[in-house]
Amino acid sequence: MAKAKRSYERMTVINRISTKWNHFAQASNNTRAAVELSRLGLPYMPWSDASLLPSALQVVLNEIEINARKTVVEFGSGISTIYIAQILSRLGGRIVSFETDAEWATFVENRLSALNLSEFATVVRAPLGPCTLSKNGLNWYNQAIVATAVQDLSVDCVVVDGPPAYKTGYELARYPALPALEANLAQDYVVFLDDIHRLGEQEILRLWTDLFGIEFLSYFSKGNIARGVHGVAHFTV
């Protein structure tokens, strides 16, 4: 009994040290990423609590840049949409981003237009509703709208940062993203899932691994984002 207690106490200390180290590393990585992002020359944009952290966004942009991803589908529009569009404007690609909030979608569209990036980005308003692919009966983006928007695409990069999934009972709200795109995924593609410090997102990674045979790398010190590759990726970021 005493031995088990000592072992538990040691593990508790180790976990606390590990957590503090991850927080320190993440703060350092976010600072460094913010500096690198500023080199893109974009004006200031609001960074909300729902936005990808700078280090997570850098992981996504690195992937698009060095593995030449050209067709990006994003769930949850925002600052990431604009940065991705900026990269794709040079690579000759395009991003389709789904957003549930119509007013926020208009805000992002206006920013894209002001930066002459509308040619490389489409923000699609897709309200939440019943979804045949969801777990636990959770609402997801309107399936018909999503299917229509991607019907002619060969998607080689998926970024999942929506819908909101922080409330109790909504943990698996983001699960349908990859199954919904299955028919339109390129032979070689990458998928990113944000907020993997949460148990719901960790379960989604397990479900996607079983369904699609993807191995995910988890970047807890780089914005709590996971990256999974199907097929060939010439470089690892």
Side-chain angles (χ1 to χ4, degrees):
M1 187 71 175
K3 185 177 179 180
K5 182 179 180 181
R6 286 195 299 271
S7 177
Y8 173 79
E9 290 173 347
R10 281 197 297 271
M11 288 303 301
T12 300
V13 171
I14 290 171
N15 287 336
R16 286 176 180 172
I17 293 172
S18 177
T19 299
K20 288 182 179 179
W21 169 252
N22 281 335
H23 287 166
F24 172 79
Q26 187 166 127
S28 177
N29 288 331
N30 282 331
T31 299
R32 185 166 51 199
V35 172
E36 293 302 319
L37 290 172
S38 70
R39 300 181 193 277
L40 291 176
L42 293 173
Y44 174 78
M45 286 171 284
W47 214 298
S48 72
D49 290 341
S51 301
L52 290 178
L53 290 173
S55 55
L57 179 54
Q58 187 180 38
V59 170
V60 174
L61 297 181
N62 284 350
E63 170 68 35
I64 294 170
E65 178 72 39
I66 69 175
N67 285 314
R69 305 296 183 181
K70 297 291 183 66
T71 306
V72 181
V73 168
E74 176 186 48
F75 294 99
S77 303
I79 191 170
S80 56
T81 314
I82 297 166
Y83 275 100
I84 291 171
Q86 174 78 346
I87 295 292
L88 292 175
S89 69
R90 180 168 43 76
L91 296 178
R94 185 170 189 83
I95 178 172
V96 175
S97 184
F98 295 97
E99 176 55 44
T100 62
D101 187 320
E103 290 186 8
W104 182 247
T106 299
F107 176 85
V108 175
E109 284 178 330
N110 289 341
R111 285 301 182 101
L112 289 165
S113 178
L115 294 166
N116 297 314
L117 294 173
S118 298
E119 178 184 350
F120 309 99
T122 300
V123 180
V124 179
R125 293 159 180 78
L128 297 180
C131 175
T132 59
L133 300 170
S134 70
K135 298 291 185 181
N136 305 327
L138 293 170
N139 287 340
W140 192 67
Y141 300 91
N142 183 289
Q143 278 183 270
I145 292 175
V146 172
T148 299
V150 304
Q151 63 183 349
D152 297 321
L153 302 181
S154 179
V155 180
D156 60 7
C157 181
V158 184
V159 181
V160 184
D161 192 25
Y166 59 89
K167 292 182 179 180
T168 301
Y170 289 79
E171 292 86 355
L172 300 181
R174 297 176 176 179
Y175 167 76
L178 213 51
L181 297 177
E182 184 172 10
N184 297 92
L185 292 170
Q187 182 176 350
D188 301 323
Y189 65 87
V190 63
V191 57
F192 294 96
L193 178 63
D194 192 30
D195 300 311
I196 59 164
H197 59 294
R198 302 189 304 215
L199 294 179
E201 275 72 13
Q202 292 172 25
E203 176 62 17
I204 290 171
L205 293 180
R206 286 190 286 271
L207 291 169
W208 286 351
T209 295
D210 291 342
L211 188 60
F212 293 92
I214 303 172
E215 289 190 15
F216 285 90
L217 292 177
S218 296
Y219 298 88
F220 289 105
S221 64
K222 292 185 177 180
N224 290 315
I225 196 168
R227 169 185 179 264
V229 174
H230 182 277
V232 176
H234 298 291
F235 300 98
T236 300
V237 295

